[in-house]
Amino acid sequence: MAAAEGSIAVNAPVDAIYKSWLAFEDYPKFITAIKRVRKLDANQIMLRVPERRLAWRTIPNGQAHDHLAAGVVSFAPLSEHGTRVTLKLTSNFGDGVSNRVDKYLRNFKRLIEGRSKNRETSG
């Protein structure tokens, strides 16, 4: 099992980021790696502390018996409009876990901050 951790500052309040993380089924195609895992396996939420932390593990659905993964994401306010998102991921995908964590966080930041910019220009 390989493990990795990363964090990123996102220009959005904690409550908005938490709600967005919970709704990642609706994310655009550029987060296809997460969606691909979701199709093979079901994620079981192990811990939910609203606006603070989520922990989950995968449960194989029969197609990928050897896939194991678990993760924890935490949200810490940096300011009224900023949040530090920290993701810890453990997986048997191989050595690329740290690259995946960094990619997931960058894509998540781009998604959230892009939504904020769209609201500002359309509102």
Side-chain angles (χ1 to χ4, degrees):
M1 295 284 277
E5 179 177 343
S7 64
I8 198 163
V10 180
N11 292 320
V14 170
D15 63 332
I17 290 177
Y18 178 79
K19 289 174 189 172
S20 295
W21 192 277
L22 283 175
F24 76 81
E25 289 287 339
D26 300 330
Y27 287 178
K29 293 286 184 183
F30 66 77
I31 304 185
T32 55
I34 292 175
K35 285 188 167 195
R36 195 174 317 125
V37 170
R38 292 288 301 235
K39 287 179 185 173
L40 293 176
D41 304 308
N43 282 333
Q44 178 183 40
I45 293 180
M46 305 299 293
L47 172 72
R48 183 184 296 191
V49 180
E51 298 181 11
R52 297 290 311 250
R53 182 179 301 249
L54 288 168
W56 69 93
R57 68 178 181 175
T58 58
I59 302 171
N61 71 358
Q63 296 177 12
H65 298 288
D66 60 344
H67 173 253
L68 300 171
V72 176
V73 62
S74 58
F75 313 95
L78 295 173
S79 67
E80 190 174 313
H81 301 290
T83 303
R84 166 122 354 246
V85 178
T86 302
L87 175 62
K88 297 176 185 178
L89 186 63
T90 304
S91 173
N92 67 346
F93 282 152
D95 294 334
V97 174
S98 63
N99 290 336
R100 286 191 181 107
V101 166
D102 291 340
K103 182 179 179 179
Y104 295 163
L105 289 171
R106 284 191 315 270
N107 287 344
F108 184 74
K109 175 182 173 92
R110 189 169 48 230
L111 172 73
I112 298 302
E113 291 180 356
R115 284 183 183 169
S116 296
K117 287 179 185 175
N118 287 341
R119 281 190 209 115
E120 290 171 8
T121 59
S122 65

